[in-house]
Amino acid sequence: MCSAPTSGASRKAPVSLPSELPAGASPGTSPEAPSGDMKEQIVSLYKAQDKIYARAVSGWFVRWRWALVWATQLLFYGLPWLNWNGRQAVLFDLGARRFYIFELVLYPQDFIYLTGLLIVSAYALFLFTTVAGRLWCGYACPQTVYTEIFMWVERRIEGDRMRRMKLDQGPWTFEKLWRKSAKQAAWIAIGLWTGFTFVGYFTPIQLLGSEVLSFNLGPWETFWVLFYGFATYGNAGWMREQVCKYMCPYARFQSVMFDKDTLIISYDEARGEPRGGVRAKRGSEAAAQAAKKQGDCIDCGLCVQVCPTGIDIRQGLQYECIGCAACIDVCNGVMDKMHTPRGLIRYDTQNGLQQHLTRSQVLKRVLRPRVLGYSAVLLLICVALFASLLMRAPFRVDVVRDRGALARMVDDGWVENVYRLQIMNATERTQRYRVSAEGLAQLKIEVPAELMVQPAQARWVPVAVRVPPEVAQQVGTGAHGLRFSIERLPEAGEGAHLLVEKSTFMVPR
């Protein structure tokens, strides 16, 4: 098991207390007059957080991260505007209790599919973390994605790292005022558009847009647009790395999913140490002597400057590291300029660094029992989930007994039970149904010969079931098994489908 990550934050040394008390003072009491060499000192238990000015970087991993930023945001912002069968393609209509996902029409009774999706997400997270560390955090987490977007806006308006630092340290001028104002306005616009899109998954987004333009937005829509917009603005614009370091629980338990063959962002200490400054000109004797003693790390500090959480990866694995690989890209650029091999900072494993394994040897260890176990479980769950969706019935039925009376005597001594059947059409086509019942001899059922339910709608149908007195006397008092058969009648291009729901028939004393 990999050792737990250590924090990169510095801590203040404890305050030394005097070993001897002044004369006349007893333990647990304060002396009335402290001696001249004893001074009262206030020590803060918390370190003030310095603002992190992340430096812009380019490279292979940065391009991958931006590709995922574009993919996730096009999906998030674009899906509500996509039409499907004359409606919004993805819509969670809480008021009507209908959830539309392209061709699927789900009801609250289909909650099992949400459970399956969460289980798949959890096992996928376990698998990816075991293989290559915090891939989710570094490339696809909403906090990372929106922080990347907000930082891009900040760089476009205020400039790169040094210009932002100079702007913040300088006095308030007209230029500083308009740049700061423009940045805040852009952040707020992104946050509000994000909140608007989020609410658009629950209220049809075109209707929501018309309500916004006519200043007729409902109170709940207004609250959630502002709440989600403020959360995006605050988390990505102001809190940033604080969310990852102190609020996200994943940073705290990630180490339990690591082992010594997990690919993590690592600094090759054997190759990089001892660190030194930029080497002297080539060809000189001083350069030759320095090259023999000095490692490949020139101690430029760029790996710290590009880190969005402000850590130094050269200090080893730390829980603050989100796995964004920005330090790899910037270090590779430095190595290219120094004409030394890339990979001083790279994805590697603890075993790979300690045993000096080749790249192929490291990758061969990826297919270890733990990874194979996660993969097998994840594959089985995915297959079961998709098979269940493919074989899902085109309608659902709930049988509810009449709460007014469990059973009652009607004309000629017949015993009657009344039920309410909720037939839920899970398609976007009108369907016709036929209801029958069995389980007791000579029973009769009172229900319309044919029922029609509109697309994606539910219909409550009262059903009365009766048995003659001699049958009731024969079976005796109590509850007896009863089965309702609900058959979807064949339509053009669709065959018949039968559902059987169990219930009970009560015979009174």
Side-chain angles (χ1 to χ4, degrees), residues 212-463:
V212 170
L213 294 176
S214 62
F215 299 98
N216 193 31
L217 199 63
W220 280 112
E221 286 89 351
T222 303
F223 170 79
W224 284 111
V225 167
L226 295 178
F227 178 84
Y228 201 81
F230 175 76
T232 304
Y233 167 78
N235 288 346
W238 293 95
M239 300 180 69
R240 293 187 179 176
E241 75 282 351
Q242 306 299 317
V243 176
C244 302
K245 292 167 65 173
Y246 304 118
M247 296 174 63
C248 179
Y250 180 52
R252 302 295 177 174
F253 65 78
Q254 58 164 329
S255 61
V256 301
M257 291 180 278
F258 286 9
D259 57 33
K260 291 188 176 182
D261 287 313
T262 296
L263 287 166
I264 55 176
I265 297 175
S266 309
Y267 167 68
D268 192 342
E269 186 175 354
R271 175 185 159 187
E273 302 295 327
R275 308 172 198 171
V278 179
R279 294 166 183 149
K281 295 181 179 180
R282 295 182 189 175
S284 66
E285 184 178 350
Q289 293 296 327
K292 294 179 181 178
K293 301 178 181 179
Q294 182 179 317
D296 284 347
C297 178
I298 64 173
D299 204 17
C300 61
L302 291 180
C303 55
V304 180
Q305 294 179 20
V306 300
C307 179
T309 59
I311 65 170
D312 189 346
I313 194 63
R314 295 171 296 180
Q315 296 180 2
L317 178 63
Q318 299 155 64
Y319 79 87
E320 297 98 333
C321 176
I322 62 172
C324 68
C327 54
I328 297 180
D329 282 331
V330 74
C331 186
N332 284 341
V334 173
M335 293 297 103
D336 290 343
K337 293 177 181 179
M338 299 302 299
H339 303 285
T340 52
R342 290 187 168 196
L344 179 60
I345 301 176
R346 63 183 183 270
Y347 272 104
D348 209 333
T349 65
Q350 284 191 321
N351 282 332
L353 290 172
Q354 294 170 1
Q355 303 174 22
H356 304 287
L357 302 178
T358 64
R359 198 64 177 169
S360 59
Q361 290 174 323
V362 170
L363 294 178
K364 284 180 181 179
R365 296 197 176 199
V366 169
L367 298 178
R368 53 196 185 275
R370 188 177 184 182
V371 172
L372 295 176
Y374 282 145
S375 302
V377 173
L378 181 61
L379 180 62
L380 288 175
I381 296 174
C382 289
V383 170
L385 183 61
F386 282 108
S388 177
L389 284 172
L390 290 175
M391 296 185 295
R392 178 171 169 264
F395 66 98
R396 298 182 66 93
V397 177
D398 284 341
V399 179
V400 180
R401 296 187 60 89
D402 183 17
R403 298 181 181 180
L406 294 178
R408 58 188 176 188
M409 306 292 292
V410 293
D411 297 340
D412 300 328
W414 284 62
V415 179
E416 180 184 74
N417 284 198
V418 178
Y419 307 83
R420 296 176 68 222
L421 271 60
Q422 185 185 30
I423 303 177
M424 294 166 279
N425 186 353
T427 70
E428 296 190 81
R429 294 171 294 276
T430 301
Q431 294 190 351
R432 297 178 298 115
Y433 305 92
R434 182 183 296 123
V435 179
S436 60
E438 58 183 6
L440 295 173
Q442 302 181 40
L443 66 80
K444 292 183 179 180
I445 181 171
E446 290 186 5
V447 66
E450 185 176 297
L451 300 169
M452 184 177 293
V453 181
Q454 298 299 318
Q457 297 297 317
R459 178 178 175 182
W460 286 97
V461 181
V463 178

